Amino acid sequence: MDARALMDKLVSFPTVSAVSNLELIDWVEDYLDGHGVKATRVYNDDRTKANLYANVGPEVEGGVILSGHTDVVPVEGQAWDTDPFTVTQVGDKLYGRGTCDMKGFDALALSAVPLALERGVKRPIQIALSYDEEVGCIGAPFMIAEMRQHMPAASAAIIGEPSMMKAVSGHKGGYGWRVHVHGFEVHSSLMHTGVSAIMEGARLINWVNELNAEIRARAPSEAAAQFDPPFTTAHTGLISGGTAGNITAKDCTFPIDFRLVPSDDIADYRDRLFAKAAEIEAEMQAIHPETRIELTERFHVPGLRPEEDGAAERLVRQLTGDNATHVVSYGTEAGQFQAQDYSAIICGPGDIAQAHQPNEFISVDQFQQGEAFIAKLVDTLVEG
């Protein structure tokens, strides 16, 4: 199967993060086995999802990891002109959920398997496919830890998120908490005797607004200045709670998420968040002692720090000819590889502007650039 046929197959699996990815993993494992390559799975706790990794070529150090995620975002509520789980070419665009983010790159990585074996690479390609990237990069750390323990150490990890085949050497970190405000219900005519979880939660959300204003007023650090925007941001995008318009809300839940520039310390923001929640909680409990604010960590995605003379960056610049500096404000699994002492870089086909959109697509030209990139990578590994 060539890279296009592989993408067609991968896109056909509707691996939205809310459901299992095991049907896709089964297929990939069979594909690798057909080439004599043994794959290893790393399951989630209830074994409904799995990461998969494999070593293609000699069991020696100095190989290159090609890393991608298998999950995609939902299509419900989006107006698609084609079947989102069938790759459809219209003109110079290949439409389908995941064509850009990022089953296109997954297909390219798998297409490297027979090529690497036929050419006789002296250093291996290591395939790494994860689950639940789209909901907080949850699955990859377990896989990366096992790869560190059981695989020959790779010299570089290429995370193929859509970057228009540019070498992206830095990204922001992502950290998120789930806030559950527990109030006390009374009729709203007696609201002074109750505690509205919604209204108290709104105080914490307003603190997020005030924190953003404070951060924006600071002069950006040298590291932050590369990003757009050049500062850390905090955000609440959902809220749920309440029983009726005339009852003080018993419950209110919402997320608070941070996107941190690599030079900022999450501990500072975490401590301030918890301190503000404790301040509001004390005032709630002065009215009714059973009320409280519960904070639960949802995800923790470390940022990707630009490396000084990093092996991954050198390799990708050599393969692409791109010598410009690129950083992005979204998070990826690249920071997780770097946190486990891999030299990591982002480079993949497609435009991030297409990710998560209705009528998501990758251009034929970008996909072909990805194929050329893989061929050059194999050439490099054949040379040793």
Side-chain angles (χ1 to χ4, degrees):
M1 299 179 73
D2 63 13
R4 170 61 197 277
L6 286 164
M7 180 169 65
D8 289 354
K9 186 64 180 179
L10 295 177
V11 169
S12 73
F13 296 103
T15 49
V16 176
S17 305
V19 302
S20 173
N21 73 335
L22 292 184
E23 190 177 355
L24 181 150
I25 292 296
D26 289 343
W27 187 87
V28 172
E29 191 167 26
D30 287 344
Y31 168 82
L32 292 172
D33 184 65
H35 291 288
V37 175
K38 181 183 181 299
T40 301
R41 300 187 185 200
V42 184
Y43 286 96
N44 65 345
D45 288 341
D46 62 8
R47 300 181 71 84
T48 58
K49 299 179 181 181
N51 303 301
L52 179 146
Y53 65 88
N55 191 86
V56 183
E59 296 275 345
V60 298
E61 296 187 353
V64 175
I65 296 169
L66 298 178
S67 170
H69 58 81
T70 63
D71 60 320
V72 296
V73 297
V75 298
E76 284 76 19
Q78 294 186 333
W80 281 75
D81 297 326
T82 63
D83 178 355
F85 298 109
T86 300
V87 178
T88 304
Q89 182 167 353
V90 180
D92 63 350
K93 297 179 176 66
L94 301 169
Y95 291 90
R97 174 57 87 222
T99 51
C100 178
D101 184 21
M102 59 180 296
K103 290 179 176 178
F105 181 82
D106 295 346
L108 293 168
L110 293 175
S111 75
V113 173
L115 186 59
L117 296 175
E118 291 165 10
R119 297 286 308 283
V121 290
K122 294 184 176 65
R123 292 184 290 139
I125 286 174
Q126 294 178 353
I127 304 294
L129 301 178
S130 67
Y131 67 85
D132 281 1
E133 189 273 349
E134 295 290 8
V135 290
C137 297
I138 292 170
F142 307 107
M143 173 178 63
I144 298 167
E146 280 208 15
M147 292 176 70
R148 258 292 174 211
Q149 184 176 359
H150 300 300
M151 299 267 276
S155 62
I158 300 172
I159 290 74
E161 292 281 0
S163 72
M164 297 295 286
M165 297 307 301
K166 303 297 184 184
V168 174
S169 58
H171 68 64
K172 290 186 178 183
Y175 303 84
W177 282 269
R178 177 180 183 269
V179 182
H180 186 174
V181 184
H182 299 264
F184 183 71
E185 287 184 316
V186 298
H187 193 279
S188 60
S189 64
L190 299 171
M191 62 178 293
H192 65 291
T193 64
V195 176
S196 168
I198 290 176
M199 295 179 73
E200 298 302 326
R203 295 176 61 193
L204 197 55
I205 294 172
N206 188 59
W207 172 82
V208 170
N209 283 326
E210 293 172 348
L211 179 64
N212 280 325
E214 174 192 322
I215 295 170
R216 291 190 69 170
R218 300 174 192 159
S221 67
E222 183 178 347
Q226 302 176 72
F227 291 88
D228 181 20
F231 45 79
T232 292
T233 57
H235 180 251
T236 291
L238 294 168
I239 190 167
S240 176
T243 302
N246 61 352
I247 300 174
T248 57
K250 182 179 180 181
D251 294 284
C252 180
T253 60
F254 52 90
I256 294 179
D257 299 341
F258 291 85
R259 290 188 182 272
L260 271 78
V261 294
S263 56
D264 280 3
D265 185 355
I266 186 55
D268 295 338
Y269 294 103
R270 180 192 61 222
D271 291 348
R272 292 184 64 179
L273 169 62
F274 276 66
K276 186 63 180 180
E279 174 190 322
I280 296 171
E281 181 182 73
E283 296 177 15
M284 293 166 55
Q285 291 178 345
I287 299 171
H288 200 282
E290 294 180 7
T291 60
R292 68 188 193 279
I293 298 178
E294 181 181 359
L295 296 169
T296 305
E297 185 174 303
R298 296 169 47 239
F299 62 86
H300 174 184
V301 182
L304 176 67
R305 303 179 311 279
E307 300 170 1
E308 180 133 2
D309 194 33
E313 185 172 342
R314 275 200 318 275
L315 173 63
V316 168
R317 292 194 185 286
Q318 172 191 338
L319 297 175
T320 63
D322 174 32
N323 291 312
T325 298
H326 308 281
V327 297
V328 293
S329 292
Y330 55 83
T332 79
E333 295 166 340
Q336 294 174 325
F337 276 94
Q338 189 179 67
Q340 298 258 10
D341 297 324
Y342 285 105
S343 177
I345 194 81
I346 300 165
C347 186
D351 187 342
I352 192 63
Q354 297 304 319
H356 305 182
Q357 298 299 307
N359 296 320
E360 176 184 349
F361 70 84
I362 187 170
S363 72
V364 172
D365 176 68
Q366 277 291 299
F367 196 63
Q368 289 174 344
Q369 286 188 43
E371 290 180 291
F373 176 87
I374 291 296
K376 289 179 181 179
L377 173 62
V378 171
D379 287 343
T380 299
L381 297 177
V382 168
E383 293 167 4

